[in-house]
Amino acid sequence: MSPKKEQLILAATDLFSRHGFHPVGIDRILADAGVARMTLYNHFPSKDDLITAVLDRRYEGIMASLHAFVEATATAREQLEAIFAWHEAWFETPEFSGCLFERALAEFGSDYPKISDVAIRYKKTMMAWIADMLKTLLPEHAATRVASLLLILLDGATIDARAFHDPTIATRAWGAAEAIIEQEIRLTSTNFVRR
Amino acid sequence: MSPKKEQLILAATDLFSRHGFHPVGIDRILADAGVARMTLYNHFPSKDDLITAVLDRRYEGIMASLHAFVEATATAREQLEAIFAWHEAWFETPEFSGCLFERALAEFGSDYPKISDVAIRYKKTMMAWIADMLKTLLPEHAATRVASLLLILLDGATIDARAFHDPTIATRAWGAAEAIIEQEIRLTSTNFVRR
DNA sequence: GAATAGATAGAACGATCAGTCTAATATGTC
DNA sequence: GACATATTAGACTGATCGTTCTATCTATTC
């Protein structure tokens, strides 16, 4: 990938993260990236496409970081805990400003499918991944249901960590996740007994 | 309150909900409200103040609706369940487009305290209210901790309900809330036994 | 050294933005 | 009927927006 294109994505990511998508104009991105106007439009047909590229890049970066972090653990339960721990480490980052996908979804809604699709794809991937882990602990239908709950916990924790400047929310959210999983395991086993 | 001011707030609320704050211009609001330009600026010094007024109004509307809905129930547990049920009914609304406070927070961040403060105040009020209910079921320190978890569940459910167009998430979130509360009650009682 | 491709600065585009000003009109009160 | 207040339509300002265009420059490659 062209180094200029790279600089544009990096500068745009930083500016969008700090100020949002709409308030950041092309000029500001060009100045920060140290790139000429036409260079941007040679690489991206429009601002929307730059936004999409930023989100795509973020998607890959997060997934790579998450996988590396999670694969260092052994059991499914440790992997799930690692996901929450990864979030806490992220919340503690000085540049943490919420989830860029959520913010894109909040700003653009479904009016711009090119943009909102990345956010939804991220959610679905996360949920499927979590469900896979849970399948070693729970029957399949329970795993998918609980996965959607853990996603809710992660999304809610991300939002409230930003609103309250409280990274420790992630650990408490993991405690809640454990309670949900425990209850589900208990319900499943009693079902087996009753049979 | 002046009927013109009222129309402005209503039209702005609708437009902001559907398209976000930045993309909606003053002209669009004026056209929808059927109000002249200077009338707006007689009532609100700036667009930011109109946004704040919209959020304030929303805050009062939601709180009134929630309280009316919850006060129809008897026990603390029923009240908590009612909060989740209220959210599900909200998610089923055709005009549901996520939480306006969250979206304001996502769009403006903390760069505009006048705006973000309303969102954070909403969160804190909700959490304190939930904590009060929980205090009849749990010791105080546990009540406040669990309250922050229920807030996470509500916030996460609101976000995912919008992203996936799935109102039933609220019911599942309540199931998760019950699991968290049950576990906490169990832990508390064993503590008592051990003493 | 010629040719090609990519990047440069900067002017210019038309559109839209929030906000101001003016002058006329409507409404209700004394 | 006079006065005060609220509202009106619409022109206008200065700024900013995303985008296009041109003309110059730099680097690589044959």
Side-chain angles (χ1 to χ4, degrees):
Chain A
M1 169 150 333
S2 157
K4 294 291 173 183
K5 190 170 183 177
E6 190 74 18
Q7 293 167 33
L8 282 167
I9 291 181
L10 291 180
T13 300
D14 177 59
L15 286 169
F16 291 153
S17 298
R18 280 193 293 158
H19 308 289
F21 299 95
H22 282 105
V24 172
I26 295 288
D27 290 341
R28 190 102 170 263
I29 299 171
L30 296 177
D32 276 28
V35 156
R37 186 173 232 75
M38 276 312 293
T39 306
L40 187 154
Y41 283 100
N42 281 336
H43 288 297
F44 306 99
S46 73
K47 186 188 178 184
D48 285 1
D49 294 277
L50 173 58
I51 293 176
T52 304
V54 164
L55 293 177
D56 277 333
R57 169 67 61 90
R58 186 85 149 200
Y59 177 85
E60 289 157 20
I62 289 181
M63 281 304 167
S65 168
L66 254 173
H67 274 92
F69 194 87
V70 166
E71 275 164 11
T73 62
T75 70
R77 204 183 211 95
E78 284 167 350
Q79 289 180 351
L80 290 166
E81 184 175 7
I83 292 182
F84 284 80
W86 182 92
H87 277 75
E88 176 144 350
W90 175 35
F91 299 163
E92 283 165 349
T93 296
E95 67 268 18
F96 171 68
S97 55
C99 175
L100 210 55
F101 303 127
E102 300 295 356
R103 292 174 62 192
L105 215 50
E107 274 198 51
F108 295 97
S110 39
D111 293 358
Y112 298 77
K114 222 184 341 178
I115 293 175
S116 58
D117 280 359
V118 188
I120 293 175
R121 178 159 49 95
Y122 171 71
K123 279 184 186 297
K124 287 190 175 165
T125 307
M126 280 291 293
M127 199 159 72
W129 191 37
I130 293 175
D132 274 345
M133 298 179 189
L134 285 168
K135 276 171 193 162
T136 66
L137 303 171
L138 298 169
E140 185 157 345
H141 70 281
T144 59
R145 183 162 36 81
V146 171
S148 82
L149 291 173
L150 299 205
L151 186 70
I152 287 177
L153 281 173
L154 289 174
D155 290 342
T158 305
I159 285 212
D160 288 355
R162 183 186 185 205
F164 296 136
H165 306 285
D166 177 12
T168 69
I169 285 184
T171 303
R172 264 174 290 145
W174 167 241
E178 278 188 302
I180 296 167
I181 296 171
E182 291 303 327
Q183 188 199 50
E184 204 66 41
I185 289 178
R186 213 158 38 239
L187 288 176
T188 309
S189 63
T190 56
N191 271 349
F192 283 146
V193 167
R194 277 183 192 153
R195 238 173 247 161
Chain B
M1 169 149 333
S2 155
K4 294 293 172 181
K5 190 169 183 176
E6 189 75 18
Q7 292 167 33
L8 283 167
I9 291 182
L10 291 181
T13 300
D14 177 58
L15 286 169
F16 291 152
S17 299
R18 280 192 292 157
H19 307 290
F21 299 95
H22 281 105
V24 171
I26 296 288
D27 289 340
R28 190 102 171 262
I29 299 171
L30 296 176
D32 276 28
V35 157
R37 183 175 231 76
M38 278 310 294
T39 305
L40 187 154
Y41 283 100
N42 281 337
H43 288 296
F44 307 99
S46 72
K47 187 189 177 183
D48 285 1
D49 294 277
L50 173 58
I51 292 175
T52 305
V54 164
L55 293 178
D56 278 333
R57 170 66 62 90
R58 187 84 147 198
Y59 178 84
E60 288 157 21
I62 288 180
M63 281 305 170
S65 169
L66 252 173
H67 275 92
F69 194 86
V70 166
E71 274 163 12
T73 62
T75 70
R77 204 182 209 95
E78 284 168 348
Q79 289 179 351
L80 291 166
E81 182 175 7
I83 292 181
F84 284 81
W86 182 92
H87 276 76
E88 175 142 352
W90 176 34
F91 300 162
E92 283 165 349
T93 298
E95 67 269 17
F96 171 68
S97 55
C99 175
L100 211 54
F101 304 126
E102 301 295 355
R103 292 174 61 191
L105 215 50
E107 275 198 50
F108 295 96
S110 40
D111 294 356
Y112 299 77
K114 221 182 348 177
I115 292 175
S116 58
D117 282 358
V118 189
I120 292 174
R121 178 159 49 95
Y122 171 72
K123 279 184 187 297
K124 288 190 174 163
T125 307
M126 279 292 292
M127 199 157 73
W129 191 37
I130 292 175
D132 274 344
M133 296 178 189
L134 285 167
K135 276 172 194 160
T136 66
L137 303 172
L138 298 169
E140 185 155 346
H141 71 281
T144 58
R145 182 161 37 82
V146 172
S148 81
L149 290 172
L150 298 205
L151 186 69
I152 286 178
L153 281 173
L154 288 173
D155 290 341
T158 305
I159 285 212
D160 288 357
R162 184 186 184 208
F164 296 136
H165 306 286
D166 177 12
T168 68
I169 284 184
T171 303
R172 264 175 289 145
W174 167 241
E178 278 188 302
I180 297 167
I181 296 171
E182 290 303 326
Q183 188 199 49
E184 204 66 43
I185 290 177
R186 213 157 39 236
L187 288 176
T188 309
S189 63
T190 58
N191 272 349
F192 284 147
V193 166
R194 277 180 194 156
R195 239 174 244 164

